[in-house]
Amino acid sequence: MNVQKRQSSLFNNYLMRILFSGLVIFIAGTFLSCQESNKTNLLKIGLPEEPKSLNVWLASDANSRKILSQIYQSLYTRDPKTLEIIPWLAKEDPVFNKKDLSYTVKLRDAKWSDGSDFTSGDVVFTKKLFLDFKIPRYASKWKSIKKIDVIDDHTLIFYLKKPSAIFLSRVLTAPMVSRKEWEPIAEKAKKTKKPLRALQNHIVEKPLGTGPFILTEHRKGAYIYMKKNPYFFGTGKKIANHILGPYVDSILFKIYGTSDVAILALKKGDIDMYWWDIQPGYIKELKAHPDIKVFLNKKSALYYMGFNLRKPPFNDKILRQAIATLINKEFILTRILQNYGSPMRSIIPSGNTFWHNPNVRQYGEGLTNEDRFKTAYEMLKKAGYTWDKEPELSNSEVVAGQGIRLPSGELMDNFVILTPPADYDPKRAFAGMMIQEWIRKMGLPAFARPMSFNSLIDRVKGKHDFDSFILGYGSLNLDPDYLRAFFYSKYDKPRGWNMSGYNNPAFDKIAEEQQSVIDVEKRKKIIFEMQAILMEDIPYIPLYNPHILEAVFTKRFKGWVEKVDGIGDIWSLCMVKQNN
């Protein structure tokens, strides 16, 4: 009876989600018929969830960033094809003065969406805001600036405290905000007990931006309507070999509760794009649809198995290496990713071609399952591990070992592989289950345990109360300085980025060094060495990098721009235009 009640409850919840999604579609459709009936140059994009905040200092979820990326712009950005840093709000490449350790930056003649001028004063104000409020993600990077001299409204000189390899890629790619809009908000927030919280909690209804679109209307749970910004600095300019628009008059972002409903809307032509990574199970039917095009691109992402190096048994490098040898990444690729992805060989994904080191140590590469088993067994045996009953091969089948003992002679305790639940990320959940089975054959007492994502993060990052885990970074910055953040020993603290507790003085030394190496080729050698050290010490086992799968309805619009991380970005929305 309890099972029947639970099934009935689940069905009712699912039905309510479908009905709610249908109501969303009806509301958005009513909006269109009332306000856009005479316009055909309206791009309709589906989002999976409501953006959590349109305050640029609070928004951290993907859906919020998608909207805000059309509004707030940076001085420099990345070329969608070459991935090199190029001028955006800046007019040209910065001029570096080695003697003064300074960068001279000239600004374009740009305007805010209310028609007021974007000037050097806005840049200086943005920097002051970062530091005064210690805004996460930005303050730590902008504090490398000693001072900024304003030469005129469109010329600034940035003086650095010390050489910085990430000044262009991580500092000058921050969003710029309007002094006119944010100064009174900031002054009011400073008078509160918690200024940062007050700044982040400010409700932003009509944000001023320099981007290609303006937020016009937001009906929570239903839609976000944006119009083309008539003051967008890029319109008609050739940037990164693209003559920019936007070529659409407006965008309607429609909020869907489930992927099923969104995919159905895409197939019917109710939306022109579903801005989300589509699960492989949908791809076959989408490819068969005559009016849908599926895009497949590499991601700048890392999905991995991590260990707690602070305590036995995973403070032993040999054990970690043996587990890495037992993991069949090709199986994960074919069975779990359905060949929509690639195995990861290093911490930096292969799609980041300039920084990726293809020559790091690899585990189990090209081996059969039997050879993986033999290799891992010999590694453990040589390191002093024993078994009450040794694992063995019998007729090409592995007979699991029992009672594995550490080199000290102590019986290895049961350990848990924490994973997100299958309804949150089936790939990571199933990968955890398969890894559990592979390493149990060696006699390792492993137990995969799904856990709600927030609880998992709290256990791993907050309390450091775990054995091992499977997590991922779905959107890594293309600058590889994250290697330092993830594995630098001083970040081994509660809520710190070094979740595994990795501590290697040799790694720390070069991780610190690469930050100050401005010569790109010299820095590349150091980054390659960092990857080699990590793949020898293996605090994380990189597992896989799924392709990003996206789809568009082709009858009305064309011109989507493909790049690493897919077609969903400002380049596409500046280039998409109506079919002739």
Side-chain angles (χ1 to χ4, degrees), residues 87-88 108 233-244 571:
W88 190 238
R108 295 185 191 273
F233 64 87
T235 300
K237 289 185 173 63
K238 186 174 184 179
I239 303 177
N241 290 317
H242 294 288
I243 306 296
L244 301 184
W571 294 99

Side-chain angles (χ1 to χ4, degrees), residues 112-147:
W112 296 101
S113 50
D114 66 351
S116 60
D117 289 337
F118 167 73
T119 70
S120 300
D122 293 305
V123 178
V124 173
F125 171 77
T126 302
K127 181 247 187 184
K128 188 174 188 303
L129 202 66
F130 290 156
L131 300 184
D132 285 353
F133 287 86
K134 295 182 174 59
I135 294 178
R137 291 182 294 165
Y138 303 116
S140 61
K141 299 177 180 66
W142 279 68
K143 69 181 181 181
S144 65
I145 300 170
K146 182 166 63 176
K147 66 173 181 174

Side-chain angles (χ1 to χ4, degrees), residues 237-462:
K237 289 185 173 63
K238 186 174 184 179
I239 303 177
N241 290 317
H242 294 288
I243 306 296
L244 301 184
Y247 298 100
V248 299
D249 294 325
S250 51
I251 303 177
L252 183 73
F253 292 96
K254 302 167 77 171
I255 314 300
Y256 292 90
T258 69
S259 289
D260 287 341
V261 177
I263 295 296
L264 178 61
L266 183 66
K267 291 192 292 185
K268 291 169 61 179
D270 290 340
I271 54 176
D272 301 295
M273 176 201 181
Y274 180 41
W275 198 346
W276 194 244
D277 191 4
I278 297 171
Q279 293 298 318
Y282 294 108
I283 298 303
K284 185 176 179 180
E285 61 177 306
L286 290 175
K287 283 186 173 180
H289 194 292
D291 297 319
I292 287 179
K293 180 177 181 180
V294 174
F295 291 88
L296 184 154
N297 288 285
K298 289 187 175 182
K299 292 181 73 174
S300 179
L302 166 66
Y303 293 84
Y304 63 96
M305 181 179 188
F307 300 97
N308 192 343
L309 277 58
R310 304 173 186 89
K311 63 178 184 176
F314 296 121
N315 58 349
D316 181 9
K317 177 172 71 174
I318 302 300
L319 178 60
R320 303 194 299 270
Q321 291 176 343
I323 291 176
T325 302
L326 289 167
I327 292 174
N328 188 339
K329 294 181 184 178
E330 294 300 329
F331 181 95
I332 293 175
L333 172 65
T334 56
R335 299 295 182 87
I336 298 178
L337 300 186
Q338 299 180 39
N339 288 315
Y340 292 111
S342 56
M344 288 201 72
R345 313 299 187 196
S346 181
I347 300 296
I348 294 179
S350 59
N352 194 349
T353 53
F354 184 80
W355 297 110
H356 171 74
N357 183 354
N359 300 314
V360 296
R361 178 173 177 178
Q362 303 192 3
Y363 299 88
E365 187 74 13
L367 298 182
T368 63
N369 286 332
E370 292 81 5
D371 287 338
R372 290 179 203 280
F373 173 82
K374 290 178 183 177
T375 303
Y377 170 78
E378 291 298 331
M379 292 168 67
L380 293 173
K381 189 81 172 178
K382 185 177 179 180
Y385 288 83
T386 57
W387 292 260
D388 293 344
K389 178 185 176 183
E390 291 203 351
E392 59 182 24
L393 282 171
S394 177
N395 299 321
S396 298
E397 290 291 328
V398 177
V399 179
Q402 295 178 11
I404 187 169
R405 294 183 178 273
L406 304 175
S408 65
E410 296 179 50
L411 193 66
M412 184 184 292
D413 290 334
N414 293 347
F415 64 85
V416 174
I417 305 170
L418 297 174
T419 75
D423 60 354
Y424 180 87
D425 187 336
K427 299 184 186 75
R428 279 180 273 183
F430 295 153
M433 292 173 60
M434 291 311 306
I435 291 172
Q436 166 195 281
E437 295 306 309
W438 290 326
I439 63 181
R440 275 186 178 181
K441 295 288 187 182
M442 190 58 68
L444 300 176
F447 296 86
R449 180 187 300 166
M451 177 178 284
S452 71
F453 187 76
N454 289 337
S455 297
L456 194 162
I457 292 296
D458 183 55
R459 286 278 295 274
V460 172
K461 194 172 184 180

